[in-house]
Amino acid sequence: MKKLTTLVFALAVLVIAGLTVGPAFAQTAVAPYQLTVFAKAPTGLSAPDSVAILGDHVFVGYGDGHLPDGSDGLSSQVVEFKMDGTPIYTYTFVGHNDGLKVDPITHKLWALQNEDANPNLVIIDTETHFTRLYTFGPTPHGGGYDDIVFRGCKVYLSASNPANNPNTGPGIVSAHLEGNLVAVEPVLAGEASAIDIPTDTTITLNLQDPDSMTLDPQGNIVLDSQADQELIIVSNPDTAKQRVLRLPLSYLTSSGPMSVETDDTAFITSTEGFILFADKGLNTVYKLSRNAFSPGTAFTAADGGPFVGTLDFTTGVVTPIVTGLSGPGGMMFVDTSKHDRDDRRDEDRDNCHDRDRDRDWDFH
């Protein structure tokens, strides 16, 4: 999420009013989608990026234009919003915030800082507002860590800004807590073999920009190697059956397909809900709605467009849905259907308690 698109002044002028949810006029969504402003950046904050959802609250990380290695010593903010876009609490951490994810078992918020070097992790209890800082040892790839995925009882981080080309370090690591330290182990090598989806041939990766991560509906890790303009899909991670696929990304122009850089990808999990996405250049979080979504559809923030669109996982083609953007990045689908997930959460917590005691169960 570190690459910023240049801010266009004419667009910025159109989005400088207030924090109230309302229609987005300069930005356009194709029918039948409706686009509204969820929240403008609070006074003094800028460059909204990561978006996380916990219950009926939304958390947005603001990079504020600070250095992505934290060397300026400045702090970033994570703002907690109600679902109507009203800000209600602000967390401040030293460093440049990038990754922001909710642990689905403990319901605590994990915030990663400094994606280029000198990374740190802050875990937040959003009920008490208590925060705890964790540090990393020397990174095995020479950079920082960008994003987080929780899969079962394990935690995975994208190993961003590798020091070497070719990347001889890991592109994904697993992580566990040891006191106030985060210990990591390599999961996906930067030079791993992969199957290229469009050509069905085996290729060798050279991951130069591991960035955003998520899980697809099948539970596979989906890693965005941003500047490489590709997604990496990892099934059965960290096992003998681990398998890696590569999906080059493009969009169609009048002169043919053109490669495109993307940031976050979000999968639709219900017919009912909406998408929230942040635009760093426009200092705005937008809400994308329609009467019914198609479960399983993938949306992606193509910051190289710049636009938000749907992604075909067979061809890698991104079809624009929202245009007139500046720097789309963080993205989440908010499922508004009525499902009781508490029993499943308790079952997952019990299953993981004996197998993975490093997830800070008694955090307080």
Side-chain angles (χ1 to χ4, degrees), residues 11 26-30 35 277 282 306-308 320-326:
L11 292 176
Q27 293 67 50
T28 303
V30 301
L35 186 70
F277 69 89
L282 299 180
F307 55 80
V308 164
I321 298 295
V322 181
T323 55
L325 301 174
S326 175

Side-chain angles (χ1 to χ4, degrees), residues 280-320:
K280 293 179 285 291
L282 299 180
N283 284 334
T284 304
V285 178
Y286 291 98
K287 178 180 179 179
L288 184 64
S289 308
R290 58 176 294 164
N291 288 335
F293 281 89
S294 178
T297 304
F299 285 75
T300 194
D303 59 317
F307 55 80
V308 164
T310 55
L311 171 60
D312 186 320
F313 260 75
T314 299
T315 64
V317 173
V318 183
T319 301

Side-chain angles (χ1 to χ4, degrees), residues 170-206:
I172 297 176
V173 299
S174 62
H176 63 275
L177 307 178
E178 296 181 352
N180 291 323
L181 296 176
V182 185
V184 302
E185 296 290 339
V187 171
L188 175 69
E191 293 183 294
S193 293
I195 298 174
D196 181 69
I197 294 175
T199 64
D200 199 34
T201 58
T202 300
I203 54 98
T204 299
L205 299 175
N206 180 21

Side-chain angles (χ1 to χ4, degrees), residues 70-345:
S71 60
D72 53 12
L74 298 176
S75 297
S76 297
Q77 286 73 37
V78 171
V79 178
E80 181 177 357
F81 295 89
K82 293 181 180 180
M83 267 310 163
D84 64 359
T86 302
I88 57 175
Y89 197 85
T90 299
Y91 300 90
T92 300
F93 324 120
V94 175
H96 178 265
N97 174 254
D98 204 351
L100 195 64
K101 290 287 173 64
V102 173
D103 183 334
I105 296 174
T106 67
H107 283 198
K108 292 180 174 59
L109 183 65
W110 289 40
L112 272 176
Q113 282 65 239
N114 302 340
E115 66 270 30
D116 277 8
N118 313 304
N120 72 68
L121 168 70
V122 174
I123 297 181
I124 306 163
D125 185 323
T126 61
E127 294 183 358
T128 65
H129 303 309
F130 183 82
T131 64
R132 181 176 293 176
L133 173 67
Y134 297 84
T135 57
F136 293 82
T139 60
H141 60 294
Y145 297 106
D146 189 286
D147 205 359
I148 310 159
V149 156
F150 297 97
R151 185 181 186 273
C153 300
K154 290 194 173 183
V155 185
Y156 298 93
L157 309 178
S158 56
S160 52
N161 194 35
N164 297 315
N165 187 1
N167 181 10
T168 55
I172 297 176
V173 299
S174 62
H176 63 275
L177 307 178
E178 296 181 352
N180 291 323
L181 296 176
V182 185
V184 302
E185 296 290 339
V187 171
L188 175 69
E191 293 183 294
S193 293
I195 298 174
D196 181 69
I197 294 175
T199 64
D200 199 34
T201 58
T202 300
I203 54 98
T204 299
L205 299 175
N206 180 21
L207 300 178
Q208 285 300 301
D209 194 14
D211 199 88
S212 302
M213 291 200 302
T214 190
L215 292 180
D216 70 13
Q218 291 73 43
N220 302 316
I221 295 176
V222 179
L223 168 70
D224 170 41
S225 196
Q226 191 172 22
D228 299 322
Q229 301 173 326
E230 63 189 15
L231 295 186
I232 308 301
I233 299 96
V234 184
S235 59
N236 302 307
D238 213 15
T239 71
K241 295 182 179 180
Q242 178 168 299
R243 193 178 195 210
V244 184
L245 308 177
R246 192 274 297 264
L247 182 66
L249 302 170
S250 64
Y251 70 105
L252 300 181
T253 71
S254 58
S255 57
M258 178 177 292
S259 297
V260 67
E261 177 179 292
T262 68
D263 202 329
D264 276 22
T265 294
F267 292 89
I268 304 302
T269 58
S270 168
T271 61
E272 303 172 51
F274 53 87
I275 292 170
L276 293 178
F277 69 89
D279 190 301
K280 293 179 285 291
L282 299 180
N283 284 334
T284 304
V285 178
Y286 291 98
K287 178 180 179 179
L288 184 64
S289 308
R290 58 176 294 164
N291 288 335
F293 281 89
S294 178
T297 304
F299 285 75
T300 194
D303 59 317
F307 55 80
V308 164
T310 55
L311 171 60
D312 186 320
F313 260 75
T314 299
T315 64
V317 173
V318 183
T319 301
I321 298 295
V322 181
T323 55
L325 301 174
S326 175
M331 175 183 289
M332 284 290 293
F333 177 71
V334 181
D335 183 353
T336 59
S337 61
K338 303 299 182 182
H339 296 304
D340 186 356
R341 299 181 177 87
D342 289 342
D343 291 342
R344 175 62 182 273
R345 179 204 172 193

